[in-house]
Amino acid sequence: MAYIGTTKHLPEAGGGFKFLAHTRVLQTTGDSAVAAIEFDASDGIDNTTYAGYLFHCTRIFPGSNGRVGMRVSDDNGSSWKASGYKCHLHSIDEDGLQQVGTSSSENTIRFCTNSNGNSAGFFGHCQIYFPVETLSFEYGYANIQGGFREDSSSYDSYACYGSGAHAGGSAAGGWDAFQFLAESGNIAANITMYGMVKA
């Protein structure tokens, strides 16, 4: 990839991210608007065309104090994997406190180590890249990085990064739908999905 001044020269075909869909569910206080935010084939997911999916999430707001995360499906969202997720996360807050969170038995791929508050202005923001696999024994690990506001007496903001997957792997063809939800209560978020075009 070459750069000349401020002009970016990209390949004309193959590779790169393509915009697929956008969902906007906004809430500023109290219980959020929907039980879950979902993306499937109707939003452009196509594992023959895309090697993975990038989710850009802003204003993530749980309906109740708690963590937020995602679930996966390999039948276009007809059913969701509701348990058996593996997570490994690191975080550091504005006071320099560092935490590591690992688990092999979560009910979502967690995006953050701490419980998030749902007071006005306690939004989270993150990006998740999820490569999709084509073989049943491959997990497909989500790569996560973001910033959140924790539910605590100090109300610190903190940065978090890590990864997560479903321990069972998917059926041949890979994960083909994604669901965003809160640990407790509903969820609001502003989410844009891009597909990584296969080279």
Side-chain angles (χ1 to χ4, degrees):
M1 188 178 297
Y3 295 88
I4 302 175
T6 58
T7 302
K8 190 179 296 184
H9 297 268
L10 301 174
E12 293 185 0
F17 286 102
K18 177 183 178 181
F19 168 80
L20 296 179
H22 176 75
T23 297
R24 186 172 186 262
V25 181
L26 299 183
Q27 190 84 359
T28 58
T29 189
D31 197 20
S32 303
V34 295
I37 298 172
E38 299 174 356
F39 295 88
D40 56 29
S42 66
D43 299 297
I45 291 178
D46 176 3
N47 293 348
T48 62
T49 301
Y50 304 108
Y53 303 93
L54 175 68
F55 298 93
H56 180 69
C57 310
T58 61
R59 297 177 67 89
I60 303 172
F61 189 74
S64 300
N65 292 337
R67 297 172 302 188
V68 291
M70 73 188 306
R71 290 177 176 170
V72 293
S73 170
D74 54 16
D75 58 12
N76 195 39
S78 294
S79 62
W80 300 95
K81 303 297 184 182
S83 61
Y85 291 94
K86 304 165 68 173
C87 303
H88 185 92
L89 295 164
H90 297 253
S91 69
I92 182 168
D93 69 17
E94 58 196 34
D95 296 321
L97 177 64
Q98 299 185 54
Q99 295 187 32
V100 177
T102 61
S103 177
S104 59
S105 59
E106 291 289 328
N107 60 7
T108 66
I109 295 174
R110 293 191 273 124
F111 298 159
C112 46
T113 55
N114 301 342
S115 176
N116 299 304
N118 75 328
S119 300
F122 277 35
F123 300 115
H125 310 284
C126 67
Q127 292 188 81
I128 303 105
Y129 178 66
F130 207 122
V132 290
E133 69 282 5
T134 57
L135 300 174
S136 60
F137 58 82
E138 294 179 332
Y139 291 137
Y141 272 87
N143 300 291
I144 304 156
Q145 61 177 3
F148 298 88
R149 188 80 173 268
E150 66 183 333
D151 170 38
S152 71
S153 59
S154 60
Y155 303 117
D156 285 340
S157 59
Y158 65 99
C160 195
Y161 67 94
S163 65
H166 188 268
S170 73
W175 305 120
D176 57 13
F178 302 89
Q179 181 186 64
F180 295 78
L181 66 165
E183 189 174 41
S184 177
N186 292 335
I187 190 171
N190 192 29
I191 304 175
T192 305
M193 178 177 67
Y194 302 86
M196 170 60 84
V197 181
K198 293 182 179 180

